[in-house]
């Protein structure tokens, strides 16, 4: 993650006052950069992954588990002695989170078989060596007790009157090192919205769940707004931290040109809900079983900075735009010319920016996309940030671009042309084991290769993409959900759309023109002449996990966690997950990862 930390962080009031000025600088900076990057070519065999990890501390005597606030300490150890690790590590939102990436990009399909799983494993082992015996590193969607009373180690109590988020549940001390980037983001979202964004996820109704279920905030001091925002039969979380403290697994591929990047961007959009459902790993929030399996809804709500005017609840103020969705949501438009008819939801954009981009000879459809991004102001600014030469820097542009957390992101080349156009696939949830993380990462990479061949077409109407993202968030979506999909995915096929199960989309539907994504990938692997049969078999083992999750013969991480809780003798079937049950669940995950225990049901 690029952390914008130039100068001293401005207050939200100061940032708001400078928002229009920064937007104008951002437009100019992109226009100066465009001629330097528009015709760049690059090696499209280069790619990489990013995984966000959670540090955890076990108290084996008391059977208690806490989120471990040692991320800053670990990074300082690495900074003092870089030889401790072979991979690259970066801070993330929470003081118990780290983001790990390969030091060098992968190169082509052979690295899928030889390096990806090994590097996931290496990252886990190297960080584990820097921790104490009762501490570990985990790859899970979110720490299940986030927001419960004193869920961190060391413990901290929220101070809502003197915090960036105003949360009664999440202390600022749990945010990474009081870093200005994360604090600024939190203040910006809360400030622009005019309140801390409420996060509500439906509770899973079990045999003894009260009717109605009312979230118990004992141990906290709810404000009047908290009481107003709470909703029967929902788990309540109050504010920004409950989204970015969740973790992601992301894959980025470099494209050979701007045109190829736009093609990959658009073809990735409809794949996002499918991979979200297959990677589901987040069924517990604040120690309560949810009636959903992913972090997506919590992310979307927690990062929704729209004002009442932008949400359409009151009359728009001068200079504001109607904004249809949260900063963290599905990508809401295609830019490929032949797909524009599938943009069936309103796309507001900044006319000033659009006209300026057109005048600078920016691709018209990309200009619309950029101008749409420009309807949002900055979340944070730093003193002196605009005292720059717009011909020489892109910092103001990135201050808007980086704070759009959509399901797919185009990464622009640097001004010096040292790398090319990149596309990042973002919705996937991290998996409990290195094998599972490798399987999902490799599958997305292989899908990018199929997309590059231009023999397939995956685009569906944008409104149906949003419908699919909601469906992917539902409980057991991988086995029971229905998703809009193309009746045929052959290139130049008619725009005909049907509802299918994940199994039909992944493994194919008999007596139809839908071959399934796995058969397409298996065919691609079989055709590769540059890799050995042994490497092909390794790739097929990853693809097999995707096949099994889709047909229901293997569980998603969320399904495994839910089944573990519901079958535990200490669980009272009332939706509340006892802390010792969470301890035992995470202990099994850790034991599996370090070879102390076997659990085929988890590994799949």
């Amino acid at each position: 993650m690029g952390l914008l930390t130039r100068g001293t962080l401005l207050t939200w009031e100061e940032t708001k006052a400078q928002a229009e000025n920064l937007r104008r600088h951002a437009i100019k900076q992109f226009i100066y950069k465009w001629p330097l990057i528009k015709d760049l070519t690059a090696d499209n065999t280069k790619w990489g992954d990013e995984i966000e990890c959670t540090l955890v501390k076990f108290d084996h005597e008391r059977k208690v588990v806490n989120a471990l606030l040692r991320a800053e300490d670990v990074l300082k150890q690495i900074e003092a002695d870089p030889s401790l690790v072979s991979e690259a590590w970066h801070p993330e939102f929470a003081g118990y989170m780290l983001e790990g990436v390969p030091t060098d990009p992968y190169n082509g399909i052979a690295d899928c078989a030889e390096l990806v799983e090994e590097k996931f494993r290496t990252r886990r082992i190297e960080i584990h060596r820097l921790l104490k015996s009762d501490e570990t590193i985990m790859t899970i969607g979110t720490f299940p007790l986030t927001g419960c009373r004193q869920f961190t180690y060391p413990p901290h109590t929220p101070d809502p009157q003197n915090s960036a988020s105003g949360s009664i549940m999440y202390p600022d001390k749990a945010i990474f090192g009081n870093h200005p980037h994360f604090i600024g983001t939190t203040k910006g979202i809360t400030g622009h919205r005019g309140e801390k964004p409420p996060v509500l996820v439906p509770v899973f109704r079990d045999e003894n769940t009260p009717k109605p279920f009312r979230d118990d905030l004992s141990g906290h001091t709810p404000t009047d707004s908290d009481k107003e925002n709470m909703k029967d039969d929902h788990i309540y979380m109050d504010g920004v931290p409950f989204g970015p403290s969740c973790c992601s697994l992301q894959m980025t591929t470099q494209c050979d040109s701007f045109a190829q990047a736009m093609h990959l961007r658009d073809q990735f959009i409809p794949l996002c809900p499918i991979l979200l459902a297959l990677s589901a790993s987040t069924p517990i929030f604040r120690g309560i079983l949810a009636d959903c399996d992913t972090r997506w809804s919590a992310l979307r709500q927690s990062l929704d900075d729209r004002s009442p005017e932008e949400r359409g609840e009151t009359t728009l103020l001068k200079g504001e735009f109607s904004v249809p969705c949260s900063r963290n949501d599905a990508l809401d438009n295609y830019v490929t010319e032949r797909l524009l008819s599938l943009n069936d939801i309103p796309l507001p954009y900044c006319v000033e920016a659009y006209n300026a981009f057109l005048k600078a000879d920016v691709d018209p459809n990309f200009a619309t996309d950029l101008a749409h991004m420009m309807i949002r102001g900055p979340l944070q600014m730093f003193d002196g940030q605009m005292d720059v030469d717009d011909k020489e820097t892109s910092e103001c542009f990135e201050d808007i671009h980086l704070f759009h957390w959509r399901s797919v992101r185009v990464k622009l080349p640097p001004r010096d042309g040292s790398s090319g156009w990149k596309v990042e696939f973002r919705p996937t949830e991290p998996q409990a084991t290195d094998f599972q993380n490798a399987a999902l990462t490799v599958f997305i990479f292989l899908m990018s290769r199929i997309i590059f061949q231009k023999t397939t077409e995956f685009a569906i109407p944008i409104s149906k993409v949003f419908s699919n993202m909601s469906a992917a968030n539902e409980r057991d979506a991988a086995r029971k959900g229905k998703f809009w999909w193309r009746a045929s995915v052959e290139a130049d096929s008619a725009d005909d759309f049907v509802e299918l199960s994940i199994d039909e989309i992944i493994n194919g539907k008999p007596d139809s023109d839908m071959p399934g994504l796995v058969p397409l990938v298996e065919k691609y692997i079989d055709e590769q002449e540059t890799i050995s049969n042994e490497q092909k078999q390794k790739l097929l083992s990853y693809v097999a996990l995707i096949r099994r999750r889709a047909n229901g013969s293997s569980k998603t991480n969320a399904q495994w966690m839910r089944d573990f809780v519901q079958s535990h003798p200490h669980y009272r079937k009332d939706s509340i997950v006892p802390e010792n049950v969470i301890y035992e669940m995470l202990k099994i995950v850790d034991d599996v990862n370090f070879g102390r225990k076997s659990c085929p049901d988890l590994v799949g």
Side-chain angles (χ1 to χ4, degrees):
M1 172 182 286
L3 303 183
L4 303 174
T5 57
R6 187 179 186 274
T8 303
L9 184 69
L10 300 182
T11 66
W12 166 246
E13 290 73 20
E14 292 169 330
T15 298
K16 186 176 181 180
Q18 291 293 323
E20 187 58 36
N21 194 14
L22 183 134
R23 180 186 285 121
R24 291 197 175 100
H25 276 279
I27 294 168
K28 290 179 182 178
Q29 289 174 8
F30 179 82
I31 288 172
Y32 283 123
K33 183 175 182 176
W34 176 246
L36 304 176
I37 65 174
K38 65 185 180 73
D39 297 322
L40 277 178
T41 58
D43 181 357
N44 71 3
T45 66
K46 303 291 186 184
W47 64 287
D49 62 66
E50 304 168 28
I51 188 163
E52 295 164 358
C53 309
T54 302
L55 301 182
V56 165
K57 178 181 174 62
F58 290 109
D59 184 332
H60 299 301
E61 184 175 340
R62 296 171 53 229
K63 290 195 173 182
V64 170
V65 61
N66 291 97
L68 176 66
L69 297 176
R70 282 199 60 202
E72 188 173 11
D73 173 56
V74 168
L75 290 175
K76 286 179 179 178
Q77 291 183 65
I78 294 171
E79 184 179 6
D81 184 0
S83 68
L84 292 171
V85 296
S86 58
E87 301 289 89
W89 291 93
H90 308 293
E92 256 300 337
F93 180 87
Y96 48 86
M97 293 171 67
L98 289 169
E99 179 188 77
V101 300
T103 305
D104 299 308
Y106 301 124
N107 187 10
I109 190 171
D111 283 358
C112 291
E114 298 296 328
L115 292 181
V116 177
E117 186 176 352
E118 175 189 332
K119 283 184 174 286
F120 278 125
R121 177 74 174 164
T122 297
R123 278 175 247 175
R124 189 186 299 274
I125 291 173
E126 289 180 342
I127 295 299
H128 192 262
R129 287 173 181 161
L130 303 181
L131 302 175
K132 299 176 183 177
S133 60
D134 58 353
E135 301 170 351
T136 195
I137 178 171
M138 310 197 82
T139 45
I140 52 179
T142 191
F143 183 66
L145 294 168
T146 299
C148 293
R149 196 161 178 240
Q150 296 188 330
F151 66 95
T152 64
Y153 184 87
H156 294 285
T157 301
D159 182 8
Q161 301 303 318
N162 300 291
S163 72
S165 68
S167 175
I168 64 172
M169 306 173 184
Y170 198 104
D172 271 13
K173 291 286 188 180
I175 299 174
F176 180 89
N178 231 19
H179 196 287
H181 174 82
F182 303 119
I183 292 293
T185 300
T186 302
K187 288 181 176 179
I189 291 172
T190 304
H192 188 74
R193 186 182 176 93
E195 62 175 355
K196 55 184 180 181
V199 179
L200 293 159
V201 296
V203 71
F204 171 72
R205 181 164 295 286
D206 213 334
E207 295 175 16
N208 300 324
T209 305
K211 296 182 180 181
F213 172 86
R214 291 193 171 97
D215 203 346
D216 181 9
L217 297 187
S218 59
H220 304 293
T221 307
T223 64
D224 289 342
S225 65
D226 289 317
K227 295 173 184 176
E228 291 174 6
N229 287 328
M230 294 176 69
K231 185 178 178 182
D232 284 355
D233 298 319
H234 284 73
I235 304 163
Y236 175 64
M237 293 164 280
D238 72 326
V240 173
F242 288 93
S245 64
C246 296
C247 294
S248 300
L249 170 65
Q250 298 158 358
M251 193 280 282
T252 297
T253 188
Q254 184 166 260
C255 300
D256 66 14
S257 63
F258 167 77
Q260 189 178 70
M262 296 303 104
H263 175 64
L264 183 61
R265 168 201 186 275
D266 284 1
Q267 296 300 304
F268 266 170
I269 290 173
L271 294 178
C272 289
I274 310 307
L275 270 295
L276 176 62
L278 287 169
S279 65
S281 67
T282 318
I284 304 171
F285 294 89
R286 280 191 51 242
I288 305 170
L289 273 180
D291 201 31
C292 60
D293 276 357
T294 83
R295 77 210 188 288
W296 191 255
S297 176
L299 267 173
R300 181 178 54 78
Q301 294 176 75
S302 71
L303 298 175
D304 189 354
D305 70 325
R306 294 175 298 164
S307 66
E309 293 81 13
E310 291 170 331
R311 297 197 301 269
E313 297 173 2
T314 59
T315 304
L316 276 172
L317 302 176
K318 184 179 179 180
E320 289 195 329
F321 299 87
S322 174
V323 182
C325 57
S326 168
R327 283 181 182 264
N328 193 103
D329 220 319
L331 201 56
D332 48 359
N333 68 307
Y334 297 111
V335 297
T336 307
E337 186 69 30
R338 72 179 187 280
L339 302 180
L340 297 185
S341 63
L342 301 180
N343 290 336
D344 62 341
I345 64 174
L347 193 75
Y349 61 90
C350 175
V351 175
E352 176 191 355
Y354 177 72
N355 290 335
F357 294 146
L358 283 187
K359 189 175 179 180
D361 199 30
V362 178
D363 174 87
N365 298 333
F366 190 48
T368 302
D369 183 57
L370 293 170
H372 172 54
M373 185 175 65
M374 290 294 166
I375 68 175
R376 298 184 191 272
L379 288 180
Q380 58 176 250
M381 289 177 61
F382 295 86
D383 185 37
Q385 186 171 337
M386 290 181 290
D387 299 334
V388 294
D389 184 348
D390 289 330
K391 295 180 181 180
E392 302 296 331
T393 183
S394 301
E395 187 172 312
C396 292
F397 174 80
E398 292 300 337
D399 206 8
I400 294 178
H401 179 240
L402 284 177
F403 291 92
H404 279 67
W405 302 288
R406 311 311 288 268
S407 56
V408 179
R409 172 183 283 164
V410 174
K411 294 182 174 181
L412 277 62
R415 286 172 173 267
D416 63 6
S418 57
S419 63
W421 291 86
K422 300 183 183 76
V423 178
E424 183 180 47
F425 191 94
R426 296 175 50 81
T428 325
E429 303 224 304
Q431 304 298 285
T433 71
D434 303 315
F435 171 79
Q436 295 168 338
N437 284 314
L440 286 161
T441 303
V442 167
F443 186 77
I444 296 166
F445 169 79
L446 293 172
M447 287 305 306
S448 75
R449 304 303 104 174
I450 289 170
I451 290 169
F452 284 165
Q453 293 178 337
K454 293 191 174 182
T455 58
T456 53
E457 178 59 72
F458 300 123
I460 63 175
I462 287 293
S463 62
K464 290 182 173 15
V465 173
F466 275 83
S467 175
N468 283 355
M469 289 301 285
S470 296
N473 188 63
E474 297 296 319
R475 173 168 53 90
D476 216 359
R479 292 189 293 194
K480 299 179 180 178
K482 289 289 186 179
F483 296 80
W484 288 102
W485 199 247
R486 296 186 74 90
S488 171
V489 297
E490 293 183 2
D492 302 319
S493 61
D495 286 345
D496 188 18
F497 311 104
V498 293
E499 281 192 291
L500 299 175
S501 67
I502 292 279
D503 186 24
E504 291 168 329
I505 292 170
I506 292 294
N507 296 320
K509 183 178 181 181
D511 303 320
S512 77
D513 293 329
M514 180 58 217
L517 301 184
V518 158
L520 289 174
V521 169
E522 290 174 332
K523 180 174 182 290
Y524 176 83
I525 293 171
D526 184 60
E527 292 170 345
Q528 301 311 298
E529 298 179 352
T530 60
I531 59 175
S532 66
N533 286 332
E534 184 180 2
Q535 289 171 324
K536 289 181 179 181
Q537 290 305 311
K538 184 67 172 177
L539 298 181
L540 290 172
S541 73
Y542 295 143
V543 175
L545 177 66
I546 306 299
R547 178 187 289 281
R548 292 196 300 270
R549 284 198 176 174
N551 67 26
S553 58
S554 287
K555 298 178 181 179
T556 63
N557 283 184
Q559 291 160 0
W560 179 84
M561 291 177 179
R562 191 182 299 277
D563 289 350
F564 181 89
V565 170
Q566 289 190 276
S567 63
H568 198 284
H570 291 166
Y571 172 63
R572 297 182 294 273
K573 300 189 183 301
D574 58 355
S575 307
I576 308 299
V577 187
E579 189 168 357
N580 70 308
V581 176
I582 291 176
Y583 161 87
E584 291 181 24
M585 180 180 73
L586 296 186
K587 184 67 168 58
I588 289 174
V589 171
D590 193 54
D591 286 344
V592 168
N593 273 311
F594 289 100
R596 297 185 291 264
K597 182 173 289 188
S598 174
C599 184
D601 204 25
L602 168 63
V603 176

